Amino acid sequence: FVVRHGGEEVDWSKCCIALLSIDGSSPGVQRVVAVARGRGELPVPVDRDREAVPFGPTWHLLRVAVVPKAAEAAAQVGGEEGWMDRAFESAVATDQRFVRLTGPRKVVRTVRGATWDADPLGDRSEEYSEVVSRKEFPQPYPKVCAAFMSNGRLRLLRKGMRAFVQHMEEQEPGVPYEMVWLDNDSGPEALAVYTEFELERVALFKTNYGATHGFNSLFFDLCRRSEFAITMEEDWEWRADRTHFKMVEWSMEV
């Protein structure tokens, strides 16, 4: 990163240190994870809490703060523990951006006849054993976003997601697409669904905030990279017998 004053680049290491923070495990809760005292110490490794979030891709807010060395000394008076967080509050310059971190996918084994708490339909006769793969994941430059929203009925959500992926991979392989999912309080089974699909962005809420909040979050946050969006709820079925043509590509051309 570069620090400028009056349009001119300045050597921040003469007066300051740089602190880098990230919401590693809890959204909105920043944690200072690295300190740099000069350009020679850059780049520095920044990572999420791998014990709390070991699998899959996640999005985080990365913040950089330029802090005077005097503030560093004052913060350390209170003890070594937490001094970086205290010094962060005395920043003279800050910047932030969203970053995407990745991790290994958790393989889901076949489960038959198990008791599932969150699906009122409770039909577990179908097997959901393998991750549903996409030819290009994650999609760096998506044109269309498949926006899924659910509240319970995760059996139907699985069915719809699988059908959509199959359609795009077989019928419209030339369309760069991303998949995002917002869930309103479907319980712990939602985490299992997350491991079965390759999703660019996911929001799992422990409270049902309703459809309006859900669609706003999907369109203006999770799908913000794409020019077009397709809305899919958990009880909307993607029928293969009626979608055996390039319906997504043609719709975008209208």
Side-chain angles (χ1 to χ4, degrees):
F1 61 92
V2 175
V3 177
R4 298 184 183 276
H5 178 70
E8 298 292 332
E9 182 178 346
V10 297
D11 184 0
W12 53 269
S13 62
K14 293 181 178 180
C15 67
C16 305
I17 63 173
L19 298 177
L20 294 87
S21 71
I22 190 172
D23 52 344
S25 57
S26 300
V29 180
Q30 289 285 313
R31 177 173 60 93
V32 178
V33 294
V35 57
R37 304 183 185 281
R39 283 187 172 183
E41 298 185 8
L42 297 174
V44 295
V46 174
D47 202 358
R48 70 194 187 202
D49 186 343
R50 293 286 169 173
E51 291 186 2
V53 190
F55 300 105
T58 51
W59 285 88
H60 302 270
L61 182 64
L62 173 66
R63 289 178 175 170
V64 179
V66 178
V67 178
K69 294 180 179 179
E72 173 191 5
Q76 289 179 338
V77 172
E80 284 294 320
E81 184 176 354
W83 76 265
M84 289 190 291
D85 294 299
R86 294 192 295 270
F88 201 96
E89 299 176 359
S90 302
V92 295
T94 61
D95 197 5
Q96 64 185 37
R97 67 176 55 185
F98 282 101
V99 296
R100 185 178 189 273
L101 303 177
T102 60
R105 296 203 64 82
K106 184 177 181 180
V107 177
V108 181
R109 302 300 180 186
T110 300
V111 178
R112 282 183 176 273
T115 300
W116 301 79
D117 297 329
D119 192 343
L121 296 179
D123 183 1
R124 290 294 154 191
S125 60
E126 292 186 68
E127 294 186 358
Y128 297 105
S129 59
E130 297 180 356
V131 173
V132 179
S133 298
R134 294 159 50 190
K135 183 177 181 180
E136 187 168 5
F137 174 81
Q139 173 56 246
Y141 304 107
K143 187 173 182 180
V144 62
C145 174
F148 289 85
M149 184 167 62
S150 60
N151 172 231
R153 296 179 289 189
L154 297 181
R155 176 180 61 87
L156 297 177
L157 175 72
R158 285 179 165 103
K159 187 175 181 180
M161 283 185 172
R162 287 173 181 266
F164 178 80
V165 172
Q166 182 178 1
H167 168 83
M168 296 302 293
E169 297 296 317
E170 296 180 359
Q171 302 292 337
E172 307 193 54
V175 176
Y177 72 98
E178 63 179 339
M179 291 178 62
V180 305
W181 171 38
L182 183 145
D183 181 77
N184 282 317
D185 191 28
S186 291
E189 189 190 345
L191 292 175
V193 176
Y194 167 69
T195 65
E196 298 170 15
F197 295 89
E198 294 182 335
L199 304 163
E200 272 75 9
R201 305 192 72 186
V202 176
L204 304 180
F205 292 106
K206 293 184 178 180
T207 301
N208 184 357
Y209 291 108
T212 300
H213 172 271
F215 283 125
N216 283 335
S217 299
L218 286 170
F219 297 149
F220 301 112
D221 183 14
L222 302 184
C223 283
R224 65 178 181 270
R225 295 193 306 153
S226 295
E227 183 180 358
F228 299 93
I230 301 174
T231 59
M232 297 285 291
E233 294 192 53
E234 80 278 359
D235 55 352
W236 296 3
E237 183 177 357
W238 188 277
R239 297 189 56 174
D241 60 328
R242 296 188 180 183
T243 57
H244 52 282
F245 56 92
K246 297 183 178 181
M247 58 175 300
V248 175
E249 181 178 349
W250 294 351
S251 297
M252 293 189 295
E253 293 177 354
V254 173

